[in-house]
Amino acid sequence: MISTVTQFVLLGFPGPWKIRIIFFSMILLVYILTLTGNMAIICAVRWDHRLHTPMYMLLANFSFLEIWYVTCTVPNMLVIFFSKTKTISFSGCFTQFYFFFSLGTTECFFLCVMAYDRYLAICHPLHYPSIMTDQLCGILVSLCRLIGFLGHSISIFFISQLPFCGPNIIDHFLCDVDPLMALSCAPTHTIGHVFHSLSSLFIILTMVYILGSYTLVLRTVLQVPSSAGWQKAFSTCGSHLVVVSLFYGTIMMMYVSPTPGNSVAMHKIITLIYSVVTPVLNPLIYSLRNKDMKYALHHVFCGRELSRQNSLCI
């Protein structure tokens, strides 16, 4: 059976004109902040030689990933707000579908590598320089991208080969797996089960690894008999775990244990959290609260040297 659908209609966030203006302005602002914050981190790491360490190189790569993660969905989402047709081509829809899940999977593995880096730095500080070399860092970054972009490629290809005979209306702001398969005029149980099983495997394995790494970090730091050790533990792990919990909590609700009773509006809100809100928080959590990063940003963008003591007051 050959697909007769050549384009899909993304409804986005329908509603009164004033409500759409408010949503458009908020999402545009968040998108600009996401681009600005992550680009600032990349520039700071690129131009400040003191940040040419594995931890900051990982942060720069993570910021690069976040820029592409939001860019594969948000610009089209913003266009939909004021488009009369709200259409996206068949190939464009599946291209967005592929990159959205590939970048999201890559992000999961990137969070694992960043947790591994912090584990080595805090739990094995003497061996850290000899283990986490630039070469190993590059290999881990490449592996994250390779797994991320190959992990869902086969299942997404088979979904794209399903026959779509109509209707072609997707009540969402992006091309997601369940709304797409619901439009197919052929049985999708097997391919849907394979896709969700693979997603669940990636999500659960990476989440368990991240939580295990930070548990070991907390245990190591809390063994230091000083309040400074406690403060460092919560500063190092607490804020990171907030973003990890927010990201993994929402994607697990969508892809690991989806609840059929959830409304379409709830699905949109959950997707909006992990695809738009979380990326704007990452620069604040992972880097802009870091003293060295704040010093580097001030030096790079203000063009003058500051003493470390003064930079702490920014």
Side-chain angles (χ1 to χ4, degrees), residues 5-294:
V5 171
T6 59
Q7 61 185 13
F8 295 99
V9 178
L10 293 172
L11 295 183
F13 294 95
W17 179 256
K18 291 183 178 179
I19 299 297
R20 281 188 287 161
I21 290 288
I22 293 173
F23 267 110
F24 174 87
S25 302
M26 291 173 59
I27 294 173
L28 178 61
L29 176 62
V30 171
Y31 182 56
I32 292 173
L33 290 175
T34 302
L35 295 183
T36 304
N38 286 291
M39 282 299 299
I41 291 169
I42 294 172
C43 291
V45 174
R46 174 67 179 84
W47 293 334
D48 194 321
H49 294 286
R50 289 163 297 192
L51 300 185
H52 289 183
T53 62
M55 182 181 80
Y56 292 109
M57 296 303 291
L58 288 173
L59 286 173
N61 277 278
F62 188 70
S63 293
F64 180 76
L65 173 66
E66 290 287 66
I67 289 173
W68 285 105
Y69 185 57
V70 295
T71 301
C72 78
T73 57
V74 173
N76 187 67
M77 187 196 315
L78 294 174
V79 171
I80 289 173
F81 275 104
F82 301 111
S83 172
K84 292 183 179 179
T85 60
K86 300 181 183 296
T87 57
I88 183 172
S89 67
F90 185 92
S91 59
C93 185
F94 275 93
T95 299
Q96 183 191 69
F97 179 29
Y98 171 72
F99 277 100
F100 181 67
F101 275 89
S102 297
L103 290 166
T105 304
T106 305
E107 181 168 334
C108 290
F109 284 96
F110 242 102
L111 290 170
C112 277
V113 173
M114 293 168 70
Y116 174 66
D117 176 75
R118 291 299 82 207
Y119 163 75
L120 284 179
I122 295 175
C123 298
H124 302 284
L126 298 179
H127 299 287
Y128 177 75
S130 60
I131 298 176
M132 186 56 75
T133 60
D134 292 342
Q135 183 180 8
L136 178 60
C137 184
I139 291 173
L140 292 174
V141 169
S142 299
L143 281 175
C144 287
R145 293 172 179 171
L146 184 65
I147 297 172
F149 279 85
L150 291 180
H152 286 295
S153 58
I154 296 177
S155 56
I156 291 177
F157 171 77
F158 279 110
I159 293 174
S160 70
Q161 299 305 302
L162 291 171
F164 293 89
C165 314
N168 66 338
I169 298 175
I170 300 175
D171 193 0
H172 212 320
F173 57 82
L174 54 80
C175 295
D176 205 351
V177 57
D178 289 332
L180 271 174
M181 289 197 299
L183 297 179
S184 175
C185 47
T188 60
H189 176 75
T190 302
I191 186 62
H193 181 72
V194 170
F195 188 92
H196 282 292
S197 298
L198 197 60
S199 297
S200 300
L201 180 66
F202 288 151
I203 292 169
I204 293 173
L205 286 180
T206 54
M207 183 187 67
V208 169
Y209 183 85
I210 292 168
L211 293 177
S213 297
Y214 282 121
T215 299
L216 294 175
V217 168
L218 284 169
R219 189 182 68 175
T220 299
V221 178
L222 292 176
Q223 289 176 353
V224 179
S226 66
S227 58
W230 284 65
Q231 185 177 2
K232 182 180 179 181
F234 291 113
S235 176
T236 302
C237 304
S239 55
H240 292 202
L241 288 174
V242 169
V243 169
V244 169
S245 300
L246 182 64
F247 178 71
Y248 274 93
T250 49
I251 63 175
M252 286 184 72
M253 290 176 64
M254 288 295 294
Y255 305 113
V256 177
S257 57
T259 304
N262 284 344
S263 64
V264 173
M266 181 59 67
H267 284 173
K268 292 181 183 179
I269 292 172
I270 293 172
T271 306
L272 196 67
I273 291 173
Y274 71 78
S275 64
V276 179
V277 176
T278 304
V280 78
L281 296 177
N282 286 336
L284 298 173
I285 297 298
Y286 283 99
S287 298
L288 301 184
R289 293 180 70 253
N290 181 286
K291 296 175 183 178
D292 292 330
M293 181 60 72
K294 287 195 292 185

